[in-house]
């Protein structure tokens, strides 16, 4: 880098009349001293980028997500205890709740566009899709913790076991997460919010239709197959995340 800078300075000064060799050497020396003294920022790694997203999301947003997750959970538990809904419907509603929480991710994507952060992020050391992936990973981890908490609450207050409720919620979570990652890879950033909202509504409709026309899906008789499907979906989430991390062509340097 210094050799390239030195050659460019020599070529520039050679075009100026009256620039002596001594003046050229002095200019190169001063430029090198200025370059070495500059407080240049080091490029951060992807791990540091993930931690920065925790600060970006903020505790208020986490509180809103917790309220959106646990208030409906308490209502579902009460309705099961009052025999207003059956355990099969409770499992279906919990799966729908997971999809609804996942659709809350749109807020973070929309907020970036609303405050014109897309242009700022596009000039960063990471591609826009990598920045979005780092944000989604943090949200994934938060939602997995929420799913575990919901499973613990429902198993403590209803006849639903911890594993049975969690399996169905993980299945819905995997389906929703894969849809989001596919859209990040394939769709434009300007249409991502609309497409993901449409996908989430479609997924909710499918879950409700399953509860109406195929209640056996939620009654535990096919729990092994649902668990296998959850494992496959979560594995495919990891695979898609790796593909996004390996994308090099869209990285833009400041």
């Amino acid at each position: 880098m210094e050799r390239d800078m030195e050659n460019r300075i020599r070529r520039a000064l050679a075009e100026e009349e009256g620039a002596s060799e001594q003046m050229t050497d002095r200019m190169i020396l001063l430029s090198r001293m200025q370059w070495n003294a500059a407080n240049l920022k080091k490029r951060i790694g992807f791990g540091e980028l993930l931690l920065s997203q925790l600060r970006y999301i903020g505790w208020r947003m986490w509180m809103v997500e917790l309220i959106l997750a646990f208030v409906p959970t308490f209502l579902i538990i009460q309705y099961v205890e009052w025999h207003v809904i059956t355990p099969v419907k409770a499992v279906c509603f919990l799966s729908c709740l997971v999809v609804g929480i996942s659709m809350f991710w749109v807020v973070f994507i929309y907020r970036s566009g609303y405050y014109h952060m897309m242009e700022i992020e596009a000039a960063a050391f990471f591609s826009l899709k990598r920045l979005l992936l780092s944000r989604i990973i943090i949200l994934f981890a938060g939602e997995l913790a929420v799913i575990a908490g919901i499973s613990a609450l429902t198993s403590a207050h209803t006849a639903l076991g911890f594993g049975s409720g969690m399996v169905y919620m993980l299945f819905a979570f995997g389906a929703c997460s894969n849809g989001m990652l596919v859209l990040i890879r394939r769709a434009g950033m300007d249409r991502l919010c609309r497409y993901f909202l449409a996908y989430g509504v479609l997924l909710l409709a499918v879950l409700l239709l399953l509860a109406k026309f195929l209640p056996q899906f939620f009654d535990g008789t096919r729990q092994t197959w649902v668990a296998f499907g959850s494992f496959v979906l979560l594995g495919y989430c990891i695979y898609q995340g790796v593909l996004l991390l390996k994308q090099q062509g869209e990285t833009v340097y400041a």
Side-chain angles (χ1 to χ4, degrees):
M1 181 67 185
E2 290 186 7
R3 178 62 61 183
D4 180 62
M5 179 183 67
E6 181 177 335
N7 291 333
R8 282 186 290 173
I9 293 174
R10 287 186 183 278
R11 286 196 300 269
L13 292 177
E15 298 174 358
E16 298 289 336
E17 296 183 1
S20 64
E21 186 67 24
Q22 184 179 5
M23 182 184 298
T24 301
D25 291 339
R26 181 171 177 78
M27 179 67 71
I28 292 172
L29 177 62
L30 290 173
S31 300
R32 185 177 294 138
M33 291 172 61
Q34 183 67 26
W35 175 269
N36 293 331
N39 184 20
L40 299 175
K41 275 191 174 182
K42 293 183 178 179
R43 183 179 180 180
I44 66 171
F46 192 74
E48 294 176 77
L49 180 64
L50 284 177
L51 293 177
S52 69
Q53 295 307 309
L54 285 172
R55 296 191 297 271
Y56 168 79
I57 294 173
W59 66 269
R60 292 182 180 86
M61 294 301 248
W62 287 116
M63 288 300 298
V64 171
E65 185 170 355
L66 288 175
I67 292 171
L68 291 176
F70 286 103
V71 169
T73 301
F74 285 119
L75 291 175
I76 291 171
I77 290 172
Q78 288 298 320
Y79 289 154
V80 172
E81 292 179 343
W82 296 338
H83 303 288
V84 176
I85 60 175
T86 62
V88 171
K89 289 184 178 179
V91 173
C92 174
F93 291 154
L94 288 173
S95 301
C96 292
L97 176 62
V98 169
V99 176
I101 298 171
S102 299
M103 291 173 69
F104 184 65
W105 302 338
V106 172
V107 173
F108 301 99
I109 304 170
Y110 177 78
R111 188 168 67 169
S112 293
Y114 182 80
Y115 290 107
H116 304 289
M117 295 175 65
M118 295 295 188
E119 291 80 1
I120 298 172
E121 292 168 346
F125 283 118
F126 294 93
S127 69
L128 187 57
K129 291 186 177 182
R130 284 191 181 185
L131 285 161
L132 196 53
L133 176 64
S134 68
R135 200 163 300 162
I136 294 299
I137 288 175
I138 296 298
L139 295 172
F140 279 4
E143 186 157 351
L144 286 173
V146 168
I147 289 173
I150 292 173
S151 299
L153 280 174
T154 53
S155 63
H157 295 89
T158 65
L160 297 174
F162 179 83
S164 61
M166 193 167 187
V167 161
Y168 288 97
M169 285 189 287
L170 286 177
F171 184 85
F173 173 73
C176 206
S177 303
N178 276 295
M180 169 60 88
L181 292 174
V182 168
L183 290 173
I184 291 175
R185 290 173 55 202
R186 304 295 184 186
M189 294 295 107
D190 55 335
R191 296 170 292 177
L192 183 59
C193 292
R194 296 195 299 272
Y195 286 173
F196 183 61
L197 284 174
Y199 175 76
V201 171
L202 178 62
L203 191 56
L204 286 172
V206 169
L207 290 172
L208 292 173
L209 288 173
L210 281 174
K212 182 175 179 60
F213 296 105
L214 191 64
Q216 297 86 356
F217 180 81
F218 294 104
D219 65 3
T221 57
R222 291 175 172 81
Q223 184 175 329
T224 303
W225 289 104
V226 176
F228 177 74
S230 302
F231 178 78
V232 171
L233 288 172
L234 292 175
Y236 191 60
C237 278
I238 297 173
Y239 172 72
Q240 289 201 84
V242 171
L243 288 181
L244 281 170
L245 283 176
K246 287 183 177 179
Q247 285 186 357
Q248 299 291 340
E250 296 185 14
T251 303
V252 181
Y253 295 94

